[in-house]
């Protein structure tokens, strides 16, 4: 019997804000967010002259943790974990606050050191990103962590006192900040990176970014682009656009930044400093783009207890697709898997050596096609295409999400305009997309006619310019239109033969 997923909650007592996230966790590291809540804490600014957190800070944390626990228990969390990061570990009385939380609520607070915070941030951020090797940067309110990873495993970690709030308080005393202040901030961050020996990216490696500052910057950039995928996770923020954003934000006063559409509440005062630190890191490591992760430390706390190592990104993608589809009542895993196997067999026969991205997108599209039927059976392709773009699928680069969505739409409406997808699919010819969508349509029509309970597989062979399909389809199926569509797409004849 398949094990029921666990519900866990993580409370993050951060330097800028506190958060609780309730997650449903599978054994393979897949996490579904059940609920999440944020509260401003500002602990980096709540230290007295002796380096102690003030009584008011204690009250804020206790009140916030109490509310976080109510949310966690209200959502049925089986286990609740709490962690404190930069501000708590550096405050002389951080341990006192942790003990007070334990006494009041019965929840121990683990005050993590810099390397542990970096490791958690890496495990949360990189799990759902299509990257094997590179660097992960996590910018919080009090500290900045960088992790070098190889084969999706952490190899070396660095921690710096360069969180957005701390940098703001230390360097940006003017409103708006002066050029000389920004220059000094950048010089300090660059000098620390040099002294610590943070390496440049090697060929084929990428920079992954996580934390509220990074996500807010990506959110601002997305608002200013015509772009088909409206989620931050997996978004590539180019350094050239980041630098333009810094110029715009640095010219505004704090009040003006706070009123700017897209600026997250409570982040207006630290965003310029955090963005400047990110820009320095990108320049130092040689990254033209930072790939944004929508997950981070909180998810890493959970994954650290579930996994010895991060699985490959393609395994994450397939696991995530299954988890997503399983939420929809009309989805049947046996049917979806067989449809996908039939689609891949057809693709390999009709386009041997075909584009691997198209082939994988075809596999995912064949798996999710029935998801849309739960929403609207009459427009299941369109609804499935929307779900692919708008859901929390993990491990997918945005390009692969876009291609998967395109195939679903073209399968139902060949020749439809895909102009909205162009920023991500320009390197695919319309003919190649139409051909892969034809395969999807063909596999789907075969599966729709598959007798319930019949566990046989389609047999697909290719010889002398003819692709031969043997499957238990009805002899009454009029497949001429799909046969003609296949011939136009692949210049190959298709013969479909029913099994007794």
């Amino acid at each position: 019997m398949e094990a029921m997923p666990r519900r866990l909650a993580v409370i993050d007592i951060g330097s800028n804000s506190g958060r609780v996230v309730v997650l449903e966790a599978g054994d393979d590291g897949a996490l579904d967010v059940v609920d999440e809540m944020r509260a401003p804490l500002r602990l980096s600014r709540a230290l007295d002259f002796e380096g102690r957190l003030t009584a008011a800070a204690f009250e804020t944390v206790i009140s916030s943790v109490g509310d976080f626990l109510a949310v966690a228990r209200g959502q049925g969390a089986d286990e609740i974990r709490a962690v404190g990061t930069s501000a708590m570990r550096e405050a002389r009385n951080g341990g006192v606050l942790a003990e007070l939380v334990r006494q009041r609520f019965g929840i121990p607070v683990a005050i993590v050191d810099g390397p542990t915070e970096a490791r958690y941030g890496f495990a949360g951020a990189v799990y759902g990103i299509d990257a094997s090797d590179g660097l992960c940067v996590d910018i919080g309110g009090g500290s900045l962590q960088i992790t070098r990873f190889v084969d999706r495993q952490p190899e070396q970690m660095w921690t710096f006192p360069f969180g957005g709030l701390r940098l703001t308080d230390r360097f940006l005393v003017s409103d708006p900040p002066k050029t000389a202040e920004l220059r000094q901030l950048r010089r300090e961050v660059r000098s620390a990176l040099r002294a610590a020996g943070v390496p440049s990216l090697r060929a084929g490696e990428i920079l992954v970014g996580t934390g509220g500052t990074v996500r807010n910057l990506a959110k601002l950039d997305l608002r200013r682009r015509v772009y088909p995928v409206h989620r931050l996770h997996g978004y590539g923020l180019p350094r050239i656009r980041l630098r333009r954003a810094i110029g715009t934000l640095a010219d505004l006063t704090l009040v003006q930044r706070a009123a700017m559409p897209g600026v997250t509440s409570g982040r207006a005062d630290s965003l310029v400093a955090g963005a400047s630190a990110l820009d320095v890191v990108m320049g130092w490591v040689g990254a033209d783009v930072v790939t944004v992760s929508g997950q981070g430390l909180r998810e890493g706390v959970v994954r650290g207890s579930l996994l010895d190592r991060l699985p490959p990104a393609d395994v994450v993608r397939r696991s995530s697709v299954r988890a997503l589809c399983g939420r929809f009542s009309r989805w049947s895993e046996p049917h979806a898997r067989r449809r996908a196997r039939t689609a891949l067999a057809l693709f390999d026969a009709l386009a041997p050596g075909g584009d691997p991205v198209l082939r994988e997108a075809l596999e995912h599209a064949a798996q999710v096609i029935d998801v849309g039927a739960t929403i609207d059976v009459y427009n299941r392709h369109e609804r499935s295409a929307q779900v692919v773009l708008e859901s929390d699928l993990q491990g997918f680069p945005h390009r692969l999400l876009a291609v998967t969505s395109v195939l679903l739409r073209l399968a139902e409406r060949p020749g439809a305009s895909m102009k909205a997808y162009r920023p991500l699919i320009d390197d695919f010819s319309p003919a190649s997309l139409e051909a892969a969508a034809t395969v999807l349509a063909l596999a789907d029509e075969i599966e729709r006619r598959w007798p319930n309970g019949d566990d046989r597989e389609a047999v697909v062979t290719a010889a002398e310019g003819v692709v031969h399909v043997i499957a238990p389809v009805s002899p009454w199926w009029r497949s001429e239109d799909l046969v003609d569509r296949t011939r136009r797409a692949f210049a190959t004849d298709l013969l479909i033969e029913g099994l007794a």
Side-chain angles (χ1 to χ4, degrees):
M1 185 175 179
E2 187 175 347
M4 293 294 290
R6 299 159 58 195
R7 282 203 174 181
L8 303 100
V10 177
I11 295 172
D12 172 13
I13 305 173
S15 301
N16 183 31
S17 60
R19 289 181 184 270
V20 61
V21 61
V22 183
L23 302 160
E24 199 160 85
D27 292 336
D28 55 3
L31 299 176
D32 289 333
V33 177
V34 177
D35 203 352
E36 184 178 26
M37 190 171 73
R38 175 181 182 271
L41 299 180
R42 304 293 190 157
L43 296 186
S44 284
R45 290 179 172 169
L47 295 170
D48 63 19
F49 67 93
E50 293 183 335
R52 298 176 182 272
L53 290 167
T54 64
F58 272 43
E59 291 178 9
T60 299
V61 170
I62 293 297
S63 174
S64 297
V65 169
D67 199 24
F68 291 162
L69 287 171
V71 171
R73 289 166 177 157
Q75 294 299 334
D78 305 308
E79 182 180 343
I80 301 172
R81 302 173 189 172
V83 295
T85 56
S86 174
M88 283 190 70
R89 69 173 171 260
E90 294 175 15
R92 294 181 62 185
N93 57 347
V96 176
L97 176 56
E99 177 61 18
L100 183 60
V101 171
R102 189 194 65 78
Q103 291 177 1
R104 184 71 60 88
F105 302 112
I107 301 295
V109 179
I111 301 178
V112 297
D113 58 23
T116 301
E117 183 177 355
R119 187 169 65 252
Y120 283 154
F122 156 80
V126 176
Y127 172 90
I129 296 295
D130 185 29
S132 294
D133 309 289
L135 295 166
C136 177
V137 58
D138 183 354
I139 302 177
S143 62
L144 180 154
Q145 281 76 38
I146 296 176
T147 303
R148 179 170 189 79
F149 59 96
V150 176
D151 194 24
R152 294 176 67 80
Q153 298 307 306
E155 188 177 75
Q156 192 172 2
M157 289 157 285
W158 300 266
T159 185
F160 303 95
F162 295 148
L165 270 181
R166 178 172 288 182
L167 287 173
T168 299
D169 292 344
R170 182 177 173 188
F171 293 103
L172 307 187
V173 296
S174 304
D175 185 26
K178 295 179 179 178
T179 301
E181 294 171 348
L182 287 166
R183 189 179 298 121
Q184 185 179 359
L185 181 158
R186 297 171 65 87
R187 188 162 47 240
E188 180 75 11
V189 174
R190 191 179 298 110
S191 175
L193 295 175
R194 180 186 298 110
V198 175
S200 298
L201 293 170
R202 301 166 185 164
E205 295 184 337
I206 73 168
L207 177 66
V208 177
T210 187
T213 292
V214 176
R215 287 191 283 271
N216 200 171
L217 291 165
K219 178 182 175 182
L220 287 170
D221 193 57
L222 262 176
R223 291 177 65 94
R224 288 156 178 76
R225 294 186 67 181
V226 177
Y227 191 78
V229 181
H230 301 296
R231 63 181 221 166
L232 300 179
H233 185 80
Y235 179 66
L237 174 61
R239 187 183 183 209
I240 189 171
R241 295 179 66 90
L242 170 64
R243 303 197 82 178
R244 290 176 191 155
I246 293 171
T248 299
L249 292 166
D251 284 341
L252 302 176
T253 65
L254 174 58
V255 171
Q256 290 170 327
R257 283 197 301 278
M260 187 175 179
V263 173
T264 303
S265 173
R267 203 166 293 281
D269 54 349
S270 63
L271 196 55
V272 174
S276 298
L278 176 61
D279 180 48
V280 173
V281 170
M282 292 181 74
W284 180 259
V285 304
D288 294 327
V289 174
V290 58
T291 300
V292 178
S293 178
Q295 300 188 349
L297 180 140
R298 292 172 291 281
E299 292 81 5
V301 169
V302 174
R303 288 202 177 101
S305 66
L306 296 177
L307 301 170
D308 293 328
R309 57 187 294 119
L310 297 188
D314 63 327
V315 173
V316 171
R317 290 195 287 274
R318 291 180 175 90
S319 173
S320 185
V321 167
R322 287 195 303 273
L324 169 68
C325 293
R327 305 174 195 168
F328 294 83
S329 61
R330 294 289 296 272
W331 184 74
S332 164
E333 186 169 7
H335 284 287
R337 285 190 170 185
R338 184 170 54 215
R339 184 191 296 111
R341 290 192 297 268
T342 301
L344 294 179
L346 287 165
F347 185 81
D348 291 342
L350 290 162
D355 188 294
V357 174
L358 279 178
R359 189 179 189 277
E360 184 176 347
L362 176 62
E363 177 188 357
H364 298 310
Q367 289 267 7
V368 305
I369 199 168
D370 284 336
V371 163
T374 306
I375 304 168
D376 180 359
V377 70
Y378 299 106
N379 295 285
R380 64 193 184 107
H381 294 79
E382 177 67 22
R383 297 296 175 259
S384 296
Q386 291 172 346
V387 168
V388 166
L389 292 184
E390 297 171 7
S391 66
D392 57 351
L393 285 170
Q394 296 293 303
F396 281 77
H398 282 195
R399 179 170 175 254
L400 182 56
L401 287 174
V403 175
T404 304
S405 182
V406 164
L407 296 188
L408 286 160
R409 287 192 160 106
L410 289 178
E412 182 182 31
R413 296 188 298 133
S417 172
M418 295 295 125
K419 183 178 179 181
Y421 292 88
R422 279 297 156 204
L424 291 171
I425 64 170
D426 262 347
D427 51 343
F428 293 99
S429 70
S432 67
L433 294 168
E434 290 281 1
T438 298
V439 173
L440 176 60
L442 179 57
D444 184 44
E445 291 300 327
I446 291 173
E447 186 60 36
R448 291 176 75 185
R449 291 162 175 82
W450 207 285
N452 195 33
D454 189 328
D455 60 0
R456 290 177 292 181
E457 297 287 328
V459 178
V460 182
T461 58
E464 299 180 355
V466 178
V467 170
H468 189 195
V469 182
I470 304 175
V473 294
S474 166
W476 307 108
W477 177 28
R478 302 294 299 272
S479 59
E480 292 87 350
D481 288 347
L482 268 175
V483 170
D484 289 343
R485 183 176 170 184
T486 303
R487 185 181 296 113
R488 292 193 302 271
F490 294 97
T492 300
D493 287 327
L494 178 68
L495 176 62
I496 303 175
E497 179 183 344
L499 280 170

